Amino acid sequence: VTLAVNNTNKSIFNIYPNPVTDVINILSDKNLSTVCIYDAAGRIALQSSNNTINVENLAKGTYIVSIKYADGSVETKKILKK
């Protein structure tokens, strides 16, 4: 009996620096379609299609970065804005 989970659809992606003060960079092995940054209330704070996003105008706090890829898959990560 195999108990492992084969997760072949996951991409390799990283958001740096985290915590962030002014600009976040997104490194991914898949093509990005849309990047949405959500605040704690679930509202879209920023939306972009670039790998580099200026977040200096966001208030300090925790945000969720949701990345939608060209193939339709979605991944999320938390970031901390200083």
Side-chain angles (χ1 to χ4, degrees):
V1 176
T2 303
L3 298 177
V5 175
N6 188 3
N7 198 356
T8 59
N9 292 334
K10 282 286 194 182
S11 69
I12 297 171
F13 96 99
N14 192 18
I15 297 174
Y16 63 94
N18 192 10
V20 60
T21 54
D22 52 0
V23 174
I24 61 170
N25 299 292
I26 300 169
L27 179 64
S28 178
D29 62 344
K30 291 185 177 181
N31 292 329
L32 300 178
S33 175
T34 307
V35 178
C36 291
I37 301 176
Y38 296 93
D39 63 12
R43 296 178 299 239
I44 295 177
L46 283 174
Q47 189 169 356
S48 179
S49 59
N50 297 323
N51 289 9
T52 302
I53 302 170
N54 186 336
V55 296
E56 67 183 342
N57 292 329
L58 294 179
K60 294 180 182 180
T62 303
Y63 293 86
I64 302 292
V65 178
S66 177
I67 299 172
K68 183 175 181 183
Y69 295 104
D71 66 3
S73 62
V74 177
E75 290 187 279
T76 60
K77 282 199 178 182
K78 283 186 188 177
I79 61 167
L80 179 64
K81 170 68 168 75
K82 286 177 143 186

